[in-house]
Amino acid sequence: MEQSLVTLERQDALAVLRLNRPQAYNSLSLELLEAMQQALTTVADDDEIGVLIIAGNGRGFCSGHDLKEMSSADDRHLHQRIFATCSAVMQQIVALPIPVIAQVHGIATAAGCQLVASCDLAVAAKTARFATPGVNIGLFCSTPMVALSRAVQPKHAMEMLLLGEMISAQRAAEIGLINWHVEESELENFTFEVAGKIAAHSRAAVRLGKKGFYHQINQALPDAYNHCSQLMTDNMQLDDCAEGIDAFIHKRHPNWSHR
């Protein structure tokens, strides 16, 4: 039986997408990227899912593109297809209406680091390591640079891109690439705990908020305030907002309808 390159599991309002090429450190072959696209579309179409966790099977999270696949043929069109598909996956994660959490163990390098940077939140094992090492093999990490430069300060991004060296989970947290680093034995439980806290909120409000966050982040200040003022107005019209305010006033737990 052929092994699925990704698996998608549901646990109540949580979903877990696992990269499943453990023998290749979950490197992003074209086939795996296409499988991710399908899985992400499935998640986006399911209104009952509140949070997505992306994890990797085996010894590491993701080692980036499959260099053996890319070097097996001197085919510009194949290379273009691979990079375009990977870029589409990263944008799909950002556009996903629910929060996405990277659960990182082992290594997250090149496009694997790009995947971490593209997620809304990231939890890593203390032993995890991160790098954009393309410069070491003459292939500058230009597409990973897009997500990385939006997740960390420019000088930190350039440090990683120009040196191509591994950084620790502690350093990744210091520069803002990840949110938390925990003992590897606690990684899954901690990630699920964070995801559970988010999933306990109104899905309608969180979906509206995530979309608004990425819309305003690169706008000029007046435009961002204009957009978010409208967003707050729209939010006030939600059934869940009325329920949440009433619950706060009457000191009770809200009963979300997710509308």
Side-chain angles (χ1 to χ4, degrees), residues 177-189:
L177 179 58
I178 64 173
N179 299 85
W180 304 274
H181 53 100
V182 300
E183 298 295 339
E184 188 162 356
S185 60
E186 301 171 5
L187 178 60
E188 186 164 307
N189 286 340

Side-chain angles (χ1 to χ4, degrees), residues 52-74:
L52 175 66
I53 296 168
I54 298 181
N57 286 332
R59 293 174 294 170
F61 177 72
C62 178
S63 61
H65 287 295
D66 186 337
L67 295 179
K68 289 183 179 179
E69 177 183 61
M70 292 202 301
S71 63
S72 63
D74 184 15

Side-chain angles (χ1 to χ4, degrees), residues 98-172:
I98 60 173
V100 183
I101 305 174
Q103 178 185 301
V104 187
H105 74 291
I107 61 168
T109 55
C113 188
Q114 177 185 8
L115 180 55
V116 175
S118 297
C119 292
D120 304 302
L121 300 171
V123 185
K126 287 184 176 180
T127 52
R129 294 180 299 159
F130 304 80
T132 47
V135 69
N136 296 325
I137 60 168
L139 181 63
F140 199 86
C141 284
S142 296
T143 45
M145 173 171 66
V146 176
L148 183 65
S149 64
R150 284 160 171 75
V152 306
Q153 291 296 315
K155 283 186 170 56
H156 292 144
M158 288 299 285
E159 174 189 332
M160 292 186 67
L161 291 161
L162 293 173
L163 295 180
E165 296 176 344
M166 289 283 191
I167 65 170
S168 67
Q170 179 177 338
R171 176 63 174 158

